[in-house]
Amino acid sequence: MTAVRTSVQPPYAAHLRVYEPLAAYPEPERARWQAYAAEHGPDAGEAAQPVAAAVLEEQREALAELAARTPRALPERESGRAYLRVVDGVLYVCPWATRLRSWQALEELRAGAPVALLDTALPPAVREAAEADRERWRAEHPDARPWILTSRWEVPVRWFLPFGDEDRCFVPGGPAEGGGLPGGEPSGGSGGGERDGRPAALFYLVPMAQARRRVARAYRALREAVPDGELVRGAELIGRWLEEFHPRSLVELDYGGLVHLMGPERLLADRSAGELEEGLRALRAGDTAEALRVYGELTVRWRRVLALRYAN
């Protein structure tokens, strides 16, 4: 997909995505995605490129919904759009599922936002209609699950479990317009902004079989060493989610808009997946102290990124 220049920056959010092979989709859905890919899809030479341009396109569609005279809590119908990858001649599809994800985001907003703010942004009548729509839709689609998980202001440590350092792909950008980044990081240099209209990106991409194997090994080691730990519960959640998809899928962790929050120096130095791997190797070798040190440093570093949501 061709990258585009835009004044709209992506939100400070990371995404965990699953791309299923075209053959995993039943007809007539398969034919629809095949036609969609013929019009919008990348070629094989773009297999290792980020999907940043498509992310901005999705955001613009969502902003258009919110900017309506009467704000809509979710799209009126499910999106017919998807992120696409072609690897070794195989087309992989990750549907946006915007309507389903909007329902999930509404639940999170209702749980975390002050009532007065929530009522101002989305009046109770709008929320009630959206929730009624969801209950009707859920009854018709009991097995539905999102292909995309989203985390704002941080990458949860458990999201690194399916990946190794060798799966890391950093695509640097050039100097950005508009100066510095939050936290005092410069926006120019080799790690931030845009280069020839393409924003910087940091993502991991791995086959599903390898992702499941890594998560399963991590879960076994964590359950034996720290059965009540936060990371073992996270490994269980990620493992169950991955099991919902075709075994020949691809799994992607995309730093998304966090690349603009973190700045070029942090991005170049970030090896979070590799560090977590080192900690798990230490744990399997019986070196609990080293494993705790690695996990502690990784957690603290991401909490510092998370704390920037309170900056002004």
Side-chain angles (χ1 to χ4, degrees):
M1 183 173 292
T2 302
V4 294
R5 284 190 178 274
T6 175
S7 59
V8 177
Q9 290 281 17
Y12 295 142
H15 310 280
L16 191 63
R17 305 187 185 101
V18 171
Y19 296 77
E20 293 190 280
L22 182 64
Y25 294 90
E27 294 290 2
E29 192 176 2
R30 184 188 307 173
R32 180 167 61 82
W33 287 130
Q34 193 165 24
Y36 177 84
E39 182 178 357
H40 302 281
D43 58 36
E46 294 178 294
Q49 292 301 318
V51 293
V55 171
L56 287 173
E57 191 172 350
E58 182 184 14
Q59 185 192 4
R60 282 195 296 271
E61 289 191 8
L63 289 174
E65 294 279 348
L66 291 173
R69 184 178 295 274
T70 300
R72 290 190 285 270
L74 65 156
E76 294 180 354
R77 60 186 62 83
E78 188 54 274
S79 171
R81 310 293 297 278
Y83 298 112
L84 305 172
R85 288 196 177 278
V86 176
V87 178
D88 295 331
V90 177
L91 173 65
Y92 294 86
V93 181
C94 175
W96 287 3
T98 308
R99 189 172 170 85
L100 173 58
R101 289 161 56 212
S102 296
W103 274 317
Q104 295 174 323
L106 182 59
E107 282 189 353
E108 295 175 11
L109 185 64
R110 185 178 57 183
V115 174
L117 176 61
L118 188 58
D119 287 347
T120 300
L122 291 170
V126 174
R127 300 201 307 273
E128 290 170 7
E131 290 163 5
D133 285 344
R134 178 175 186 174
E135 291 306 313
R136 286 192 293 270
W137 187 88
R138 181 183 283 168
E140 298 172 1
H141 305 84
D143 298 325
R145 74 282 190 267
W147 286 262
I148 305 170
L149 303 181
T150 297
S151 174
R152 284 161 290 282
W153 295 96
E154 67 168 338
V155 178
V157 172
R158 64 182 179 274
W159 282 15
F160 293 108
L161 288 170
F163 308 97
D165 194 57
E166 67 275 17
D167 306 315
R168 181 181 184 274
C169 184
F170 177 54
V171 180
E177 299 176 3
L181 292 161
E185 300 275 356
S187 62
S190 61
E194 298 184 355
R195 180 187 59 191
D196 298 329
R198 185 186 296 277
L202 177 57
F203 64 96
Y204 293 79
L205 189 66
V206 68
M208 175 64 79
Q210 194 169 349
R212 287 178 178 172
R213 187 161 54 247
R214 283 192 177 121
V215 173
R217 290 188 67 203
Y219 177 71
R220 288 193 297 270
L222 291 163
R223 187 179 56 183
E224 293 176 3
V226 283
D228 297 323
E230 179 181 351
L231 193 55
V232 71
R233 291 190 293 271
E236 183 177 9
L237 289 173
I238 293 297
R240 287 181 176 178
W241 182 65
L242 294 178
E243 289 295 332
E244 295 285 335
F245 300 97
H246 193 278
R248 295 189 182 277
S249 299
L250 301 176
V251 186
E252 177 184 55
L253 169 54
D254 183 359
Y255 276 41
L258 294 185
V259 298
H260 302 287
L261 180 69
M262 296 173 66
E265 289 82 9
R266 289 191 201 177
L267 289 173
L268 288 170
D270 186 273
R271 291 293 188 279
S272 295
E275 290 177 47
L276 186 57
E277 268 195 320
E278 291 175 7
L280 290 169
R281 279 197 294 270
L283 190 63
R284 285 191 286 268
D287 192 346
T288 306
E290 175 63 13
L292 288 174
R293 184 194 67 79
V294 171
Y295 178 68
E297 290 182 358
L298 192 57
T299 302
V300 167
R301 191 162 67 248
W302 278 104
R303 283 178 181 168
R304 288 175 183 156
V305 176
L306 180 63
L308 291 174
R309 64 182 170 179
Y310 301 112
N312 60 32

